[in-house]
Amino acid sequence: MRRKVTKAIFPVAGLGTRFLPATKSVPKEIMTLVDRPLVQYAIDEAREAGIKEFIFVTSRGKGALEDYFDHAPVLEQELRKKGKDELLEVLKKTTMDSGAIAYVRQHKALGLGHAVWCARRLIADEPFAVILPDDVIAAETPCLKQMVEAYGETGGNMVAAMEVAPAQTSSYGVLDVKEDRGQVVLANGMVEKPKMEEAPSNLAVIGRYILEPSVLRNLQKMKQGTGGEIQLTDAIAEDITQGVPVSGFRFQGQRFDCGSKAGFLQATVAFALSRSDLRDDLLSFLHEVTSVDKAAQ
Ligand code: UTP
């Protein structure tokens, strides 16, 4: 029987430089898509996948994130007094059972691998998930839930994977494919941010992982890799050499790179269009601005 995945690490200690000046004082993960911060989408996805313990790797200046998951007694009391039950229900999703959430600090932004390693003491000898909140995935069945189901069959390490244009491989970890089974792909290795000419495939790793604790041991020994950072990709690839299989999982759904301005804007529009209370107004606005834009050209 495979062990259940009940813990997830959320690395949120990055500097978020692509969103400066906003991220000077607002953590990237608190920025909102319509009316929910990025981190809420990540938490909802994790819950639906059966995650019970939520571990955040934070850094200086991320206090708003801790407050977000806390109770807000004054606000709740006010809403109760006004009979705003719907809003109280919305707020419920933002709080956690006591002890279900933990925060550890990454003192220096030494890379994603290092951030995950900072949470090592909160993971026992068990598989765990990693979710990057700035990769937002719109899907009928949440991406991590799809992966947990597939992981029941495959075991080993599993990474979410997505085909990208060859020119984009230099922005991702890329899988060296050993065997393509369709939804699941077995990997020979993984390369972090390869140049287009050197990329072993165009199957890119996206921010959802189910990992064996051996990856944490590999991180312990890791030196800085591409870009001077400690790469999670390298620690996962290292497992292959030790006989732990690594599979890529082609998820069903649309991924938005909310760490970039263009991706964030696209996600905002897509999520707003999926809301019945916003769709019609937004559509007519988009229609209006795009036709004005076309006329101007
Ligand atoms: P990014 O590569 O998007 O970096 O990190 P960033 O610092 O967040 O943003 P930019 O590139 O400066 O705009 C991917 C994920 O890894 C986390 C980030 O918080 C994000 O969730 N991360 C990255 C860490 O937790 N620590 C690090 O040292 C680096």
Side-chain angles (χ1 to χ4, degrees), residues 14-29 31 61-62:
L15 300 173
T17 52
R18 282 170 291 172
F19 275 100
L20 281 170
T23 43
K24 184 180 167 207
S25 66
V26 181
K28 179 169 63 174
E29 303 72 25
M31 295 192 342
K62 303 270 180 173

Side-chain angles (χ1 to χ4, degrees), residues 9 55-57 104 114-123 216:
I9 300 176
I55 303 161
F56 281 82
V57 182
V104 287
H114 182 261
V116 169
W117 176 78
C118 287
R120 66 199 178 283
R121 293 206 170 87
L122 298 172
I123 304 285
L216 295 173

Side-chain angles (χ1 to χ4, degrees), residues 129-156:
V130 176
I131 296 188
L132 307 191
D134 42 10
D135 270 337
V136 176
I137 301 171
E140 219 164 275
T141 304
C143 180
L144 189 65
K145 186 168 188 211
Q146 297 175 37
M147 288 174 72
V148 165
E149 280 162 13
Y151 171 80
E153 301 282 313
T154 62

Side-chain angles (χ1 to χ4, degrees), residues 51-202:
I51 299 298
K52 304 277 183 255
E53 290 181 53
F54 305 81
I55 303 161
F56 281 82
V57 182
T58 66
S59 56
R60 191 167 299 124
K62 303 270 180 173
L65 226 129
E66 298 189 23
D67 290 343
Y68 179 77
F69 290 115
D70 215 338
H71 284 273
V74 177
L75 176 62
E76 285 163 24
Q77 201 181 352
E78 208 51 37
L79 292 175
R80 216 167 287 122
K81 231 171 33 193
K82 292 186 171 146
K84 306 238 172 189
D85 295 341
E86 247 173 64
L87 288 179
L88 278 167
E89 236 2 80
V90 169
L91 279 190
K92 244 191 207 164
K93 280 191 144 190
T94 68
T95 54
M96 297 272 182
D97 293 340
S98 296
I101 191 161
Y103 301 93
V104 287
R105 279 257 176 147
Q106 185 189 29
H107 294 111
K108 228 174 170 190
L110 291 177
L112 174 59
H114 182 261
V116 169
W117 176 78
C118 287
R120 66 199 178 283
R121 293 206 170 87
L122 298 172
I123 304 285
D125 195 23
E126 60 196 326
F128 59 96
V130 176
I131 296 188
L132 307 191
D134 42 10
D135 270 337
V136 176
I137 301 171
E140 219 164 275
T141 304
C143 180
L144 189 65
K145 186 168 188 211
Q146 297 175 37
M147 288 174 72
V148 165
E149 280 162 13
Y151 171 80
E153 301 282 313
T154 62
N157 293 304
M158 178 177 272
V159 300
M162 182 181 100
E163 256 91 22
V164 296
Q168 290 179 354
T169 53
S170 58
S171 305
Y172 295 92
V174 173
L175 292 172
D176 180 359
V177 177
K178 178 171 152 194
E179 192 186 322
D180 194 334
R181 298 179 179 168
Q183 192 159 45
V184 171
V185 172
L186 280 187
N188 265 328
M190 289 161 77
V191 191
E192 186 61 30
K193 299 190 172 60
K195 288 190 198 130
M196 183 165 76
E197 317 76 71
E198 287 159 18
S201 76
N202 67 335

